[in-house]
Amino acid sequence: ARVREARSFSSSKMTVRLRKTRKLRGKVTFGHGRVGKHRKHPSGRGNAGGQHHHRINFDKYHPGYFGKVGMRHFHLTRQKYFCPTVNLDKLWSLVSEQTRKHYATQEKKVPVIDCVKAGFYKVLGKGLLPKQPVIVKAKFFSREAEEKIKAVGGACVTVA
């Protein structure tokens, strides 16, 4: 005697005996009518006719599907626009808390925060700085950031 394998049916699959085709066996037109007939692709395949006989559907449900936007840029490379930013309120998180406390007690020495080394090119002016002078190195500074750094007695150094 041959042993049958147990097959697991997923819930998404419908069993054959419950399908509509079982009821339609023997019916000549198979549910597609005698007058209209079931032809291959009466309105075209896929997205055919989006600007012609299917225009109403495309305009209603897919506005802006056709046409162009903006200017063409041949060989667009993104690296020239790469400029990660950091705000002033996060500036001290680039160095350890221990460093900040160490320089807070000293009068002559000032800590240097190199933003480029930490992966940030531009310093933006959101937030407040502790009243402790600091030298900040970055490629770019916003006007507000520069004002706030100088207000606490610090300096902004631009790095290539």
Side-chain angles (χ1 to χ4, degrees):
R2 203 167 8 134
V3 181
R4 282 193 174 171
E5 291 178 27
R7 290 192 187 133
S8 61
F9 291 103
S10 64
S11 60
S12 63
K13 275 196 160 187
M14 194 174 166
T15 51
V16 174
R17 65 193 169 78
L18 299 175
R19 286 181 191 271
K20 190 181 178 184
T21 55
R22 303 316 315 151
K23 278 190 184 290
L24 293 170
R25 286 280 180 237
K27 310 284 190 290
V28 175
T29 53
F30 219 77
H32 289 293
R34 285 179 190 273
V35 180
K37 296 181 198 68
H38 185 218
R39 294 278 156 85
K40 294 287 171 78
H41 297 278
S43 60
R45 290 177 190 237
N47 287 337
Q51 291 183 302
H52 307 285
H53 54 284
H54 290 156
R55 169 162 271 176
I56 288 170
N57 178 286
F58 271 71
D59 287 352
K60 185 174 182 181
Y61 297 109
H62 311 283
Y65 182 81
F66 297 105
K68 300 172 185 170
V69 175
M71 294 191 300
R72 294 192 299 169
H73 187 307
F74 308 116
H75 192 67
L76 176 67
T77 53
R78 299 268 181 205
Q79 72 263 30
K80 66 173 70 143
Y81 307 111
F82 181 76
C83 188
T85 58
V86 63
N87 278 308
L88 286 180
D89 53 5
K90 296 271 185 281
L91 198 64
W92 277 102
S93 67
L94 302 181
V95 292
S96 63
E97 183 69 21
Q98 189 181 348
T99 309
R100 191 177 76 79
K101 286 177 179 166
H102 171 70
Y103 284 104
T105 55
Q106 296 190 357
E107 294 290 318
K108 300 269 190 256
K109 288 186 178 177
V110 174
V112 178
I113 299 175
D114 195 345
C115 295
V116 179
K117 192 176 161 190
F120 298 104
Y121 286 6
K122 187 168 184 174
V123 180
L124 303 177
K126 181 184 164 216
L128 299 167
L129 277 175
K131 295 196 169 28
Q132 182 180 344
V134 63
I135 296 168
V136 184
K137 287 183 173 182
K139 290 188 177 191
F140 309 103
F141 293 90
S142 69
R143 179 188 53 79
E144 204 175 347
E146 203 167 346
E147 286 171 5
K148 287 182 180 180
I149 291 168
K150 287 178 179 169
V152 294
C156 299
V157 179
T158 50
V159 183

